[in-house]
Amino acid sequence: MGLLSITRKIKRKEKEMRILMVGLDNSGKTTIVLKINGEDTSVISPTLGFNIKTIACQKYTLNIWDVGGQRTIRSYWRNYFEQTDGLVWVVDSSDLRRLDDCKMELDNLLKEERLSGASLLILANKQDIKGALTPAEIAKVRSLVDNLNCKTEYNTPVTMFDQRNLI
Ligand SMILES: Nc1nc2c(ncn2[C@@H]2O[C@H](COP(=O)(O)OP(=O)(O)O)[C@@H](O)[C@H]2O)c(=O)[nH]1
Ligand SMILES: [Mg+2]
């Protein structure tokens, strides 16, 4: 499920698509992309710019843009919006302190005209950490999205260290 569900929905005819991974810094975006690509995740540095990975996923070619999420560089996210097919918003479910910040940033992102046609996956990451919010609690982020009349069809809880849940 997850990414693959998005890809199926997005463009049934087109086989190549652009996926934008965003979310607050430290939510696990780079780890997820590396895991999907079968790469080592034991040492990961904060992403200051962006990484692109082209991944073959069944009959699709996914160009995954993993963009740094630190507060100071969030204003650059807009440079990556063009032609985005799928938006993956990664939440650190254990970061209760920044949940409001997380909601606010997602709220802002979904006001973007250029993302209006993109499908959204909210990924409740770090479920393995004790005290992490459950996917149902993370879904409050989604209700905020629904208030904006944006269409969200996927809200898939994923535990990063269980790769079977990823795709
Ligand atoms: N416990 C736990 N740690 C994770 C998980 N996913 C990522 N991490 C850790 O969270 C930290 C930030 O990950 P990173 O991929 O750099 O986050 P990014 O800033 O969103 O790209 C790293 O130390 C990862 O090992 C997860 O599901 N569970
Ligand atoms: Mg990163």
Side-chain angles (χ1 to χ4, degrees), residues 7-23:
T7 60
R8 286 204 185 103
K9 180 191 160 226
I10 300 169
K11 288 183 180 170
R12 289 179 193 280
K13 289 183 195 143
E14 292 182 32
K15 299 270 165 61
E16 185 166 332
M17 51 196 63
R18 179 180 164 112
I19 308 288
L20 182 62
M21 305 276 299
V22 272

Side-chain angles (χ1 to χ4, degrees), residues 29-31 44-47 51 66-69:
K29 302 177 290 300
T30 302
T31 308
I44 295 184
S45 314
T47 309
N51 303 309
D66 163 28
V67 185

Side-chain angles (χ1 to χ4, degrees), residues 63-74:
N63 295 313
I64 305 184
W65 293 67
D66 163 28
V67 185
Q70 292 90 337
R71 184 185 291 277
T72 49
I73 57 175
R74 285 177 207 160

